[in-house]
Amino acid sequence: MSMPFYSKHSKHYVAVDCIIFGFDQEKINILLHKRKFEPYSGGWSLFGGFLEENENLNNAAGRILHTLTGFSGVYLEQLFTYGDVERDKERVLSVAYFALINTERYSSVEGGDFDAVWIPLEELPDLVLDHKIMVNKALRRLRRKAASEPIGFELLPEKFTLPRLQKLYEAIYGEGFDKRNFRKKILSMGLLKKLDEKDKSGSKKGAFLFRFDKKKYDELLSEGLGFEL
Amino acid sequence: MSMPFYSKHSKHYVAVDCIIFGFDQEKINILLHKRKFEPYSGGWSLFGGFLEENENLNNAAGRILHTLTGFSGVYLEQLFTYGDVERDKERVLSVAYFALINTERYSSVEGGDFDAVWIPLEELPDLVLDHKIMVNKALRRLRRKAASEPIGFELLPEKFTLPRLQKLYEAIYGEGFDKRNFRKKILSMGLLKKLDEKDKSGSKKGAFLFRFDKKKYDELLSEGLGFEL
DNA sequence: AAAACAAGTGTTAGATTTACACTTTTTATT
DNA sequence: AATAAAAAGTGTAAATCTAACACTTGTTTT
């Protein structure tokens, strides 16, 4: 039997769509662009593309992200697979990924070749297809994970101040936190290394810079502990 | 342009695999069967099948579950999509679902037409392809969700005793809990209706039966509260 | 020198979690 | 009929965690 058993089954188009989150010191933004092909040409859309033959899913997500935005080496996580969508009468499965981007490093994207625009989460326009559903799911996932894994740091530069970190968490959860309680909790994990530098961009006094201590985190993980906010 | 824009892209086989959990008053079991076709014929396998043309993903999962096991109307949730797998040189994407089954209602499956066998989680044999990875992911998901959504009840008959419910949670988390603390917490949510009946199968004294109060749960949800263990 | 501005710092009350042991009810045994 | 056995059911106290709260520090600008 040279023909595989399953060759009688149907094959499907599979797309990968990326929900790209960024943080601009103030609020969470999503990278969108205006769709340039039918159907729904001109509508706000996530960045997506098609899975190619023999291309593994994670690679496809990375490739699409890189091709369309220039970003590479960023945090990417598979979110969910949407199978109800129909386009042109033929269904296209969409595997959604969400990406977390340090906007400082990649701010050059704004207004670039692909009409990519950072849009604040609170001002999200209508999106094409089921993309809004994807964004909402991604946001729920981000909220859940940010409390139990150190993924928030992906949205910040390597060195960051505590006030900045707090702003980030406040943006993610859409609520304010008490400064003292926040510091107490985040520092008590022992996963932030305080540096001798200060960042004076935010105040006259300046705030100390910190760095996430990945080594310590891996140690904690292997002891069965971890990051828990 | 009658041909859709994306018709130049490749199409892919898409399979759906189901991780089926059951609880037999003692431990968590997984429903497996021996694969009957190449490759890996004879190896322990999850239940799976191919997604058909114009069939939506959730329906495919339900269909596969029903066709192969006779179960219907059970809890089914999409888990993750695996895109690295290769079979016969040609990649088949697999969308994994996990199912929770009230074994009492469906005990007839054991030894049925499809060689379905309930195998205790702790005695899991090697599985075909990446199925073991799927099972582990499903288990992590079950553990997470069982603490924040009332999905545990899907594994029990409609009426159940508190000692039974506690056994279930102990099986899910692989550790023992204090009886008094467990009761206190689960009853404090106000989501269990105590019935006037007792189940005497487990002891001479008999234990009162309870029922999960879905109406109350929906009320709580709409108030922004919920199930939190 | 004073005003302005954000960074930084501790304590206390309340809530939640954990640890822990005896009584009740019924059936089976003598 | 009395007793033993077996699981169901029940309360409290200590410890931990969470939440609420206001002033001081360091630097720059005027």
Side-chain angles (χ1 to χ4, degrees), chain B residues 40-123:
Chain B
Y40 308 111
S41 191
W44 285 108
S45 170
L46 297 171
F47 290 90
F50 281 84
L51 178 68
E52 300 303 337
E53 193 109 4
N54 289 320
E55 181 184 40
N56 109 17
L57 266 176
N58 289 340
N59 292 352
R63 169 180 61 78
I64 287 161
L65 197 65
H66 182 76
T67 307
L68 297 175
T69 67
F71 303 154
S72 67
V74 303
Y75 182 89
L76 252 181
E77 169 179 330
Q78 189 192 305
L79 182 65
F80 199 77
T81 298
Y82 294 85
D84 297 349
V85 188
E86 304 231 353
R87 287 171 180 157
D88 277 275
K89 306 271 186 307
E90 181 152 12
R91 182 254 308 273
V92 177
L93 292 167
S94 166
V95 183
Y97 277 75
F98 80 99
L100 301 180
I101 295 224
N102 164 2
T103 322
E104 218 137 284
R105 215 174 129 200
Y106 292 104
S107 56
S108 56
V109 153
E110 171 89 60
D113 285 357
F114 304 92
D115 300 323
V117 189
W118 285 110
I119 297 194
L121 199 51
E122 304 88 37
E123 300 165 22

Side-chain angles (χ1 to χ4, degrees), chain B residues 163 179-180 183-184 202-203 205 208:
Chain B
K179 201 170 27 162
R180 285 165 287 188
R183 281 169 166 261
K184 211 186 309 171
S203 73
K205 186 181 180 183
F208 278 103

Side-chain angles (χ1 to χ4, degrees), chain B residues 160-191:
Chain B
F160 52 85
T161 66
L162 290 188
R164 184 88 89 227
L165 182 63
Q166 181 170 352
K167 271 260 166 61
L168 168 63
Y169 275 89
E170 291 176 338
I172 290 175
Y173 293 102
E175 56 180 311
F177 300 122
D178 179 273
K179 201 170 27 162
R180 285 165 287 188
N181 294 339
F182 181 82
R183 281 169 166 261
K184 211 186 309 171
K185 204 187 252 169
I186 200 105
L187 290 175
S188 73
M189 288 189 273
L191 291 173

Side-chain angles (χ1 to χ4, degrees), chain A:
Chain A
M1 144 161 124
S2 71
M3 207 60 163
F5 174 80
Y6 45 80
S7 61
K8 63 171 197 258
H9 295 284
S10 22
K11 299 179 90 172
H12 309 267
Y13 289 119
V14 177
V16 171
D17 287 304
C18 298
I19 298 102
I20 306 172
F21 289 111
F23 175 64
D24 64 2
Q25 332 291 346
E26 256 315 295
K27 53 201 178 325
I28 300 287
N29 297 294
I30 297 187
L31 196 65
L32 297 174
H33 76 309
K34 292 219 169 157
R35 201 180 218 241
K36 284 191 218 58
F37 54 91
E38 293 299 333
Y40 308 111
S41 191
W44 286 107
S45 171
L46 297 171
F47 290 90
F50 282 83
L51 178 68
E52 300 304 336
E53 193 109 6
N54 290 320
E55 181 183 40
N56 110 14
L57 265 176
N58 290 340
N59 292 352
R63 169 180 62 79
I64 286 162
L65 197 64
H66 182 76
T67 307
L68 298 174
T69 67
F71 303 154
S72 67
V74 304
Y75 183 88
L76 253 181
E77 169 178 328
Q78 190 192 305
L79 183 64
F80 199 76
T81 299
Y82 294 85
D84 297 349
V85 188
E86 304 232 352
R87 288 171 181 156
D88 275 278
K89 307 275 189 306
E90 181 152 16
R91 183 255 306 272
V92 177
L93 292 167
S94 167
V95 183
Y97 276 74
F98 80 99
L100 301 180
I101 296 224
N102 164 2
T103 322
E104 219 137 287
R105 217 174 127 199
Y106 292 106
S107 57
S108 58
V109 153
E110 170 88 60
D113 285 358
F114 303 92
D115 300 322
V117 190
W118 286 110
I119 297 193
L121 198 52
E122 305 89 34
E123 300 165 21
L124 206 63
D126 277 344
L127 302 182
V128 132
L129 295 163
D130 49 0
H131 286 191
K132 199 148 202 175
I133 292 171
M134 296 181 187
V135 170
N136 286 331
K137 193 173 189 88
L139 185 60
R140 286 198 301 277
R141 180 90 130 236
L142 174 61
R143 284 180 174 154
R144 178 165 60 72
K145 282 228 162 177
S148 63
E149 288 177 41
I151 62 172
F153 304 106
E154 305 286 343
L155 289 161
L156 293 173
E158 211 194 340
K159 300 170 180 182
F160 50 85
T161 66
L162 290 187
R164 186 87 87 228
L165 182 64
Q166 181 171 350
K167 271 260 166 61
L168 168 63
Y169 274 89
E170 290 175 338
I172 291 175
Y173 293 102
E175 57 179 309
F177 301 122
D178 180 273
K179 202 172 20 164
R180 287 165 285 192
N181 293 339
F182 180 82
R183 283 171 166 262
K184 211 184 310 169
K185 205 187 253 168
I186 201 106
L187 290 175
S188 73
M189 287 190 272
L191 292 173
L192 298 188
K193 246 204 306 252
K194 185 177 184 173
L195 306 179
D196 280 333
E197 301 168 70
K198 278 187 163 186
D199 171 3
K200 297 209 167 185
S201 66
S203 74
K204 291 157 185 171
K205 185 179 180 183
F208 278 102
L209 287 162
F210 289 78
R211 187 199 299 278
F212 175 68
D213 188 343
K214 175 136 179 51
K215 244 178 238 163
K216 194 89 150 255
Y217 177 61
D218 291 337
E219 276 174 44
L220 284 192
L221 271 190
S222 65
E223 294 168 29
L225 300 169
F227 182 94
E228 211 57 58
L229 206 69

